[in-house]
Structures are given as structure tokens and as C-alpha cells.
Amino acid sequence: MPLWKNGTFVDDPWRFVADDAPLPDDEPVFVTLARWRTEREALAARNAPLGLVLPPGSEWSDITADLSRFPVIAVEIPKFGDGRAFSIARLLRERDGYTGEIRAVGTYIIDQVPLMRRVGIDAFEAADPMLVKALEAGEWPEVPHYLQPAIGDVHAPGETRPWARVRKPG
């Protein structure tokens, strides 16, 4: 599946592994939150990179100390109207201080991509051919006015917000 990151499509060595499937020894794989909880010791001993999948409605406060073990966290979007991945990404960045890649996986549309970047999602698995086409064409349906501050430097070019809430330093 195509992966869009840093403004271009890139090769993706990661693969998703079902909870009941064996893990390959030398490949970077995603595991579910449930599998991490039940197999934590064995998974932590792996030499190959391990990513984490957070489905909508996840509560991960019991593993916050483990987040730095995961270079990539995938947030699932079951349908384009489900905004819980936005909240998960923002909490990972602001509350938990996660600095690795946050990847959107699932069903979403090009109009949501700039908003996902604003909350800290920085990689996008693109399954929909229309989404792939829009990203390849450089379509970017940016909204130039926001009320909330963004995570990182993802503001629209020339954006000023004297009337909006701004993030406090530190």
C-alpha cells in the first residue's frame, strides 16, 4: 500500500501482523495494543523494529512509558467521519511527548490530510486510488484560518492568527 510521507510517496518496509500470526524475526512489524499488553516481554526482546497500532477508543495510559520503544504508531481510521484518530494523535504528541512517526491508516479523504498534520500525524497510508491521485497531483486543500494551535511547524504559508488561541512556549 502506498505510504505518503514528507510530501512524497516512499517505500514502506513495515507490515501489519495479526494477533494470532507469528512474527517474522527480521522485519519491522506493527502489533496491536492488545498483543503488546499480553506479550510485552517477548516483543520487547525482539531485535527488529516494532510498531504499535492504536484503534479508535484506545486507552494506553498503562503503556505510556513504553511509547519510546515504538518508532511508528499507527492510528486507525475506520471511516472518514470518525475523528478519534485526531484526538489520539494530539494526545500522543502533547500529553505523552511522543516524537516518533504517527501514521494514519484506514479510510479518510484528501480534505482531512492537512487537519491530520495539524494534530501530529506525519505519515499517511493511502489505500484509496482517489487519495493517491490527489497526493500525487500535489492537491492540498488547506484551510488558512484556524482556532487551535498546531503541533509542529505545519501552519499555512503566511498564516497569521492574531485573533486565535496560541500555544504557550515550553
Side-chain angles (χ1 to χ4, degrees):
M1 191 161 314
L3 178 66
W4 191 74
K5 185 175 174 180
N6 299 321
T8 189
F9 283 100
V10 298
D11 290 331
D12 182 16
W14 293 84
R15 71 178 190 137
F16 292 83
V17 178
D19 284 347
D20 58 351
L23 297 179
D25 292 330
D26 58 350
E27 291 182 47
V29 295
F30 284 102
V31 296
T32 64
L33 179 59
R35 188 168 189 171
W36 174 255
R37 285 178 173 143
T38 58
E39 300 176 30
R40 183 184 183 283
E41 285 185 39
L43 292 171
R46 276 179 48 95
N47 288 328
L50 195 64
L52 182 66
V53 179
L54 292 178
S58 292
E59 169 52 51
W60 63 91
S61 60
D62 60 318
I63 66 145
T64 302
D66 296 333
L67 293 178
S68 62
R69 294 177 172 267
F70 305 108
V72 183
I73 295 178
V75 292
E76 291 183 327
I77 305 169
K79 58 184 177 177
F80 80 91
D82 190 329
R84 293 176 289 177
F86 292 74
S87 299
I88 290 171
R90 187 163 208 113
L91 288 169
L92 284 168
R93 296 286 191 214
E94 288 187 336
R95 182 190 68 191
D96 302 332
Y98 181 72
T99 58
E101 175 184 304
I102 299 179
R103 179 182 298 194
V105 297
T107 306
Y108 57 93
I109 59 176
I110 189 66
D111 294 4
Q112 295 172 299
V113 173
L115 302 171
M116 284 192 253
R117 284 190 31 98
R118 291 186 62 80
V119 297
I121 297 172
D122 52 6
F124 303 86
E125 193 174 271
D128 180 1
M130 294 299 291
L131 177 61
V132 171
K133 183 179 175 184
L135 291 169
E136 285 175 336
E139 291 180 21
W140 197 256
E142 186 67 60
V143 177
H145 305 290
Y146 299 98
L147 292 175
Q148 83 283 5
I151 294 181
D153 187 23
V154 294
H155 298 285
E159 175 183 353
T160 60
R161 304 175 308 137
W163 44 267
R165 184 170 65 110
V166 293
R167 180 177 311 284
K168 292 181 182 177

